[in-house]
Amino acid sequence: MQISAEPIIYILIFVGVLALVEGLYLTVFGKSISLNSRVNRRLDMLEKGAGREQVLEQLRKEVRQHINAQGIPLYSLLADKAQKANIAFTPKALIMIMFLVSAMAFMGLTVGTTASLPVRALVSVFMGFGGTYFWVANKAKKRLGMIEEQLPEAVELMVRSLRVGHPFSSAVSIVANEVPDPLGSEFGMIADEAAYGRDVSESLKELAERMDMQDLRFLAVAVTIQQQSGGNLAEILDGLAKVIRARFKLFRRVKAITAEAKWSGMFLSAFPIVAIIVLSVAKPDYYDEVRETALFIPCALGVGVFLVINMIFMRVMVNIKV
């Protein structure tokens, strides 16, 4: 039995693309973009001697650079995820990285496979752009998940600050100093903008829309209503913190209940692809008798379309909205 290693090579090259992008990111920015540090990035920049205005300008530039670049062709597909992930790469640098990893993937396919030039070019572009998008989307998901976990604690910290007599702007500053990234730097920008005269509720609304997070919208609306109609903000935020924790608990419970269905959907979606790869490795000549027929290409394209439809429907069926 003849064994072909080409499918395995394709997988290894795609994994190598992801590792290359992550390696470049860590090499260029190192620990400055880490979300695991107890001291958030804003405080770290201030401790190194940067001025408050300079730090605010730098953070706001990083926050808005990807949305401002939505007009670049194809980059609009990546801009929203890159903004939510707060990727420190500039849009131009990220586009250059896409082309770089595409070129590296093309070299790997040229050395490791016997595929034709058009196939290698198409697959390498897919790996470069698709791999970069997958990496950015994963970063965005991780960052949003951390913000969701940090938000109840941050709101409760503001409640305690308000109850001991601090104004709301000071409560926001306390959160900025005590909470690590990613939420610490975000609230730090809000505190700095408030110090330079911007309304806190406007900054909270902008953060909520930028993160597209319902809990942050609740916080922005609660602060806005209190500013317009008055009331005990500490009690309002205390109730909001309880609501956020209850929502988070419900999300976790739904996630646990639907875990089996999601894994079943992932298995059913991945099984045909894995079967094709295993068949290509174990018996590369399996399709030789029908490969030259007129119906082979249309049937192969049809199978690919049905696989994509299957993945979409499986994802829709297991994506439970709460």
Side-chain angles (χ1 to χ4, degrees), residues 169-182:
S169 57
S170 297
V172 173
S173 298
I174 291 172
V175 172
N177 293 331
E178 297 296 332
V179 177
D181 275 338

Side-chain angles (χ1 to χ4, degrees), residues 72 118 120 134 158 161 169 173 183 235 257 270 288 296 314:
I72 300 176
R120 279 181 282 142
F134 180 82
M158 285 190 287
S161 301
S169 57
S173 298
L183 195 60
E235 294 300 324
I257 294 173
D288 285 354
F296 180 77
M314 285 294 178

Side-chain angles (χ1 to χ4, degrees), residues 57-75:
E57 182 180 355
Q58 175 65 25
L59 293 177
R60 292 180 69 179
K61 178 182 177 182
E62 292 177 2
V63 161
R64 296 176 179 177
Q65 61 182 351
H66 298 289
I67 290 301
N68 293 339
Q70 280 186 324
I72 300 176
L74 295 180
Y75 192 77

Side-chain angles (χ1 to χ4, degrees), residues 22-68:
E22 180 70 17
L24 287 172
Y25 198 56
L26 294 177
T27 300
V28 174
F29 298 103
K31 294 182 178 180
S32 64
I33 44 82
S34 175
L35 297 179
N36 299 320
S37 176
R38 292 186 177 182
V39 178
N40 61 58
R41 183 163 176 250
R42 170 179 168 272
L43 291 180
D44 186 57
M45 294 170 68
L46 290 172
E47 289 177 358
K48 291 180 179 178
R52 188 175 185 181
E53 184 176 356
Q54 181 183 357
V55 171
L56 176 60
E57 182 180 355
Q58 175 65 25
L59 293 177
R60 292 180 69 179
K61 178 182 177 182
E62 292 177 2
V63 161
R64 296 176 179 177
Q65 61 182 351
H66 298 289
I67 290 301
N68 293 339

Side-chain angles (χ1 to χ4, degrees), residues 234-267:
E235 294 300 324
I236 295 173
L237 294 184
D238 185 46
L240 178 60
K242 293 177 181 178
V243 170
I244 295 174
R245 285 198 181 277
R247 278 168 50 84
F248 193 72
K249 183 178 179 180
L250 178 61
F251 290 152
R252 286 292 179 89
R253 185 176 181 182
V254 171
K255 186 177 180 180
I257 294 173
T258 59
E260 182 181 356
K262 288 186 177 181
W263 278 103
S264 297
M266 291 171 60
F267 174 79

Side-chain angles (χ1 to χ4, degrees), residues 66-312:
H66 298 289
I67 290 301
N68 293 339
Q70 280 186 324
I72 300 176
L74 295 180
Y75 192 77
S76 57
L77 301 174
L78 189 65
D80 183 62
K81 295 289 185 183
Q83 173 197 306
K84 291 177 180 177
N86 198 28
I87 299 297
F89 281 132
T90 63
K92 291 182 179 180
L94 205 53
I95 292 173
M96 290 178 61
I97 288 172
M98 291 181 186
F99 283 105
L100 173 63
V101 296
S102 296
M104 298 294 291
F106 182 79
M107 293 175 58
L109 293 172
T110 302
V111 174
T113 68
T114 58
S116 62
L117 179 61
V119 172
R120 279 181 282 142
L122 182 63
V123 173
S124 62
V125 170
F126 172 78
M127 287 185 175
F129 285 77
T132 304
Y133 180 87
F134 180 82
W135 176 78
V136 172
N138 184 60
K139 291 284 187 183
K141 182 179 179 181
K142 179 180 178 182
R143 188 168 186 268
L144 291 177
M146 293 185 69
I147 290 177
E148 288 178 345
E149 290 187 7
Q150 291 177 319
L151 187 58
E153 179 184 349
V155 175
E156 290 174 350
L157 182 57
M158 285 190 287
V159 170
R160 292 194 294 270
S161 301
L162 292 170
R163 283 176 174 170
V164 298
H166 292 290
F168 183 67
S169 57
S170 297
V172 173
S173 298
I174 291 172
V175 172
N177 293 331
E178 297 296 332
V179 177
D181 275 338
L183 195 60
S185 290
E186 294 289 353
F187 269 75
M189 283 193 291
I190 294 174
D192 290 341
E193 288 173 346
Y196 287 109
R198 188 180 186 186
D199 188 66
V200 177
S201 61
E202 292 182 4
S203 299
L204 286 171
K205 288 178 184 178
E206 180 184 332
L207 174 62
E209 294 304 319
R210 182 156 42 85
M211 294 292 104
D212 191 21
M213 191 175 297
Q214 195 64 34
D215 292 336
L216 283 171
R217 291 192 180 99
F218 290 156
L219 176 60
V221 169
V223 174
T224 301
I225 292 175
Q226 192 277 336
Q227 287 181 342
Q228 295 176 352
S229 59
N232 190 333
L233 184 57
E235 294 300 324
I236 295 173
L237 294 184
D238 185 46
L240 178 60
K242 293 177 181 178
V243 170
I244 295 174
R245 285 198 181 277
R247 278 168 50 84
F248 193 72
K249 183 178 179 180
L250 178 61
F251 290 152
R252 286 292 179 89
R253 185 176 181 182
V254 171
K255 186 177 180 180
I257 294 173
T258 59
E260 182 181 356
K262 288 186 177 181
W263 278 103
S264 297
M266 291 171 60
F267 174 79
L268 293 174
S269 298
F271 179 77
I273 299 176
V274 174
I276 292 173
I277 294 174
V278 172
L279 191 62
S280 300
V281 172
K283 193 172 177 58
D285 58 347
Y286 185 80
Y287 296 106
D288 285 354
E289 295 183 3
V290 296
R291 187 171 294 172
E292 302 301 328
T293 61
L295 293 176
F296 180 77
I297 298 298
C299 289
L301 293 175
V303 170
V305 170
F306 279 117
L307 282 175
V308 173
I309 294 174
N310 170 70
M311 291 180 181
I312 294 174

